[in-house]
Amino acid sequence: MKIAICPGSFDPVTLGHLDIINRARKVFDKTIVAVLVNPEKHTMFTVDERIELLKKCTAGMDDVEVVGFEGLLADYARERGVTAIVKGLRALSDFEYEFQQALTNKKLNPNLETMFLTTSSENMFLSSSIVKQIARFGGDISNFVPECILKDIKKRIYTGGGKSE
């Protein structure tokens, strides 16, 4: 079985994230969506909340598993039998960082490949940070996030801020 992992902070999940997850599903038998635990990062949603939001967004996708993880991605991938990391690239600026990460993960786990998927043109500008900024200023984010979590995001924005992990 070919298993991929799509790692990220997903704070919050965007339509761009879902696009990459769905495209990974076409290539792999199973896709693990892994929410990174980073205690130094100030997030809008806790890890558990982000996992729940992702589970809502991927409901009905039997070939997708949503998990949280802490530590090195290369080690976690080895433990789970993952053959590839799938990352979305929005622009050339993403490539430099992701390429460095891919080389590091390959050094740590020689059996692990990294696959880059270019973001769909309608999502090239989209990031979780931009979604949060638009929402904080009262803008309409309905074209940027899955409808099933729109109310969750608005509720968090309008009831006061982020959660530290």
Side-chain angles (χ1 to χ4, degrees):
M1 176 181 275
K2 290 185 181 180
I3 304 172
I5 191 164
C6 291
S9 57
F10 305 103
D11 186 47
V13 185
T14 68
L15 294 176
H17 292 132
L18 280 187
D19 176 52
I20 297 299
I21 292 165
N22 275 311
R23 290 166 57 204
R25 293 175 60 217
K26 294 177 185 176
V27 179
F28 296 93
D29 300 314
K30 179 177 182 176
T31 302
I32 298 171
V33 180
V35 179
L36 306 173
V37 176
N38 184 349
E40 295 176 14
K41 192 171 184 179
H42 184 72
T43 58
M44 180 186 297
F45 294 98
T46 67
V47 169
D48 290 339
E49 289 170 331
R50 287 180 274 152
I51 289 169
E52 286 309 308
L53 293 175
L54 275 160
K55 285 181 177 179
K56 276 187 186 181
C57 295
T58 58
M61 298 180 193
D62 296 335
D63 54 346
V64 172
E65 178 185 359
V66 179
V67 299
F69 88 97
E70 197 168 0
L72 293 173
L73 180 59
D75 291 342
Y76 184 75
R78 183 182 298 109
E79 291 169 17
R80 296 296 311 269
V82 169
T83 55
I85 299 168
V86 176
K87 296 293 291 189
L89 295 178
R90 292 174 296 210
L92 188 57
S93 56
D94 285 349
F95 180 76
E96 279 189 65
Y97 173 77
E98 296 299 347
F99 186 66
Q100 182 181 27
Q101 292 295 309
L103 292 175
T104 303
N105 284 321
K106 185 71 169 172
K107 198 68 155 171
L108 295 171
N109 182 345
N111 296 318
L112 187 61
E113 299 296 337
T114 299
M115 174 186 282
F116 297 118
L117 296 176
T118 55
T119 304
S120 300
S121 60
E122 62 268 17
N123 296 319
M124 282 189 72
F125 66 93
L126 189 55
S127 70
S128 294
S129 298
I130 287 176
V131 168
K132 287 186 278 193
Q133 186 176 22
I134 292 168
R136 283 188 182 121
F137 285 103
D140 180 12
I141 59 170
S142 62
N143 290 316
F144 310 130
V145 299
E147 186 178 342
C148 63
I149 64 167
L150 184 59
K151 286 181 183 176
D152 297 294
I153 297 168
K154 286 181 176 181
K155 181 178 178 185
R156 176 57 47 89
I157 291 287
Y158 301 130
T159 59
K163 302 289 179 192
S164 290
E165 301 188 50

